[in-house]
Amino acid sequence: MYPQHIVHWIGDAESPSASGETFEKRSPIDARVVARVARGTAADVARAVAAAAAAAESWSRVPAPKRGEVLGRAASLLRAAERDFAEIVQVETGKPWKNAAAEVASSADLGLFMESEGSRFYGKTMTSPIPNRSVRTERAPIGVCAAIMPFNSPLAGVAWKTFPALLCGNAVVAKSHELTPQTAVAFGKLLQQAGLPSGVYSVVQGLGPEVGPPLVEDPRVGIVSFTGSVATGKSIQRTVSARPVLAKVCLELGGKNPLIVCDDADLTLAAEHAVASAFIDAGQRCAAGSRIIVFDRVYDAFRDAMVARTKQVKVGSGPQDDCGPVISRASLDRLLAAVAGAVGRGARIVAGGHAVESLAPGYYMAPTILDGVSHDDELSQQEQFGPVTCLYRVRDFDEAVALANATAFGLTGAIHTFNSNRIEQFIARYRAGLVSINGPTYGAGPHMPFGGVKNSGNGFREPGTEALDVYCEWKTVVVNHDPSRV
Ligand code: NAD
């Protein structure tokens, strides 16, 4: 049951906002107000950080394999509670049931992977040119981790940050997204049930510009792990840079991901993957395929195949549906205006382009494909975060790769071809954190490092073993084990 009142989770207890103020949470499925949410303030942030700072030291002394055991129990509890969590994710995002359930399963998988990392918390041993010295590296916890999340996959969002951060021995203060407030609280209750000590994980509710700055400015916060838009990520980077003492900042940001269809591609397979890439989670995925780059020789045949496949996409949030609503009325209005603007600049709608009136007042948009959009148009350059994708016609492979690279982003990308030279050239020449061959633009597992280059991120990778490098500091240890000798 989705609660009607959603509050903070601090020191293992639900807690209202110091101000007593609230804001409303509407369901994207039917625009109904489903809850009132505590509107956090700097005072609430300070309470959560104090609880985390007080708990961090003793949690860091729990051996890593034992910390892993707590995460493993949480993952098992999550699997057992799949229906409850999928329901929360569905109420908050409106995504179809199968996608909400898949999000729960993949979050549990990450917990199990991170449990096993507790037994592989390796450093290195090194040689020393000086006799009687040993040198090694160790992973050290950072302390308090601020985890700031987007709305699109609220459970995966909190799990991707919290599981590795806890495994590394940190305490976490999660800032729920204002549009998906309950998921992180339910996750906190699960961690409590799994045996996580009080204060090691807290959640603050509130509007980003109100609770975000006091959280990242707090000198007790040693790492800010942020996933969200480029604009917010850059502002967090600036805020942290202005602190008297710096903190580590991990930024996982947006994408404008290309999918290239070469003239030797299997067009049916390519259309299937292009549609899935563009419209999964209503295009609200950092890894969504929003630029479909097609060789001239197969352009018309591919466009027809993609439009035909798009017509089969079922819009709705039911068990058989594929493409849910976007997160808010503001998001729907912004997307419709972006499409209208592009049409005004000469683009042509080949599929969708409108809201789904039969599902109103839910925030559903018909899967939309445009062509004739110029490469430098804002629709080609800015992430839309909705079910909108564009087709581009190119002469040959070199033009396709040049176009793929011609945005400020570098998160993911895909190519459809059976030519091994094109495959290897694409892997080498397309600058991004993930490349996919004959598949969709998305696809990450708990063991796979994921992240981007350029404006898609600042070089870190979550999850995989590489996530430990986000939430640990490397400490080099030099031991003179015969102090009687110089
Ligand atoms: P957003 O930047 O609007 O918000 C993200 C979070 O930042 C929210 O919790 C918000 O409350 C908070 N926030 C807002 N202002 C803040 C401030 N001044 N200080 C601190 N926190 C603040 O992003 P969004 O619209 O929620 O999410 C969509 C974006 O997330 C897209 O760009 C998408 O590509 C990106 N994303 C990236 C990945 C990845 O792994 N790279 C994964 C999912 C989503």
Side-chain angles (χ1 to χ4, degrees), residues 7-15 192:
V7 292
H8 309 300
W9 176 257
I10 300 176
D12 261 9
E14 293 196 333
S15 146
Q192 179 186 40

Side-chain angles (χ1 to χ4, degrees), residues 170-188:
N170 304 290
V172 172
V173 177
K175 190 234 153 275
S176 264
H177 196 288
E178 43 271 61
L179 295 168
T180 53
Q182 176 61 14
T183 304
V185 173
F187 190 69

Side-chain angles (χ1 to χ4, degrees), residues 149-150 175 177-178 208 212 226-229 232 253-254 286 383 385:
M149 282 102 50
K175 190 234 153 275
H177 196 288
E178 43 271 61
F226 171 81
T227 301
S229 65
T232 311
L253 308 174
C286 55
E383 186 185 39
F385 226 54

Side-chain angles (χ1 to χ4, degrees), residues 59-60 64 67 114 117-118 120-123 137-145 161-171 222-225 247-250 460-462 464-476:
W59 175 244
S60 74
R67 296 197 296 257
M114 284 299 158
E117 283 295 319
R120 289 187 299 269
F121 211 55
Y122 302 143
T137 56
E138 288 180 1
R139 291 188 180 279
I142 299 173
V144 177
C145 169
K161 296 195 181 302
T162 302
F163 279 137
L166 295 180
L167 191 267
C168 292
N170 304 290
I223 166 165
V224 179
S225 179
K248 195 170 179 180
V249 178
C250 166
F460 289 103
R461 293 290 179 269
E462 297 178 306
T465 301
E466 286 73 5
L468 307 187
D469 291 334
V470 176
Y471 299 101
C472 280
E473 280 155 356
W474 279 113
K475 187 173 277 182
T476 303

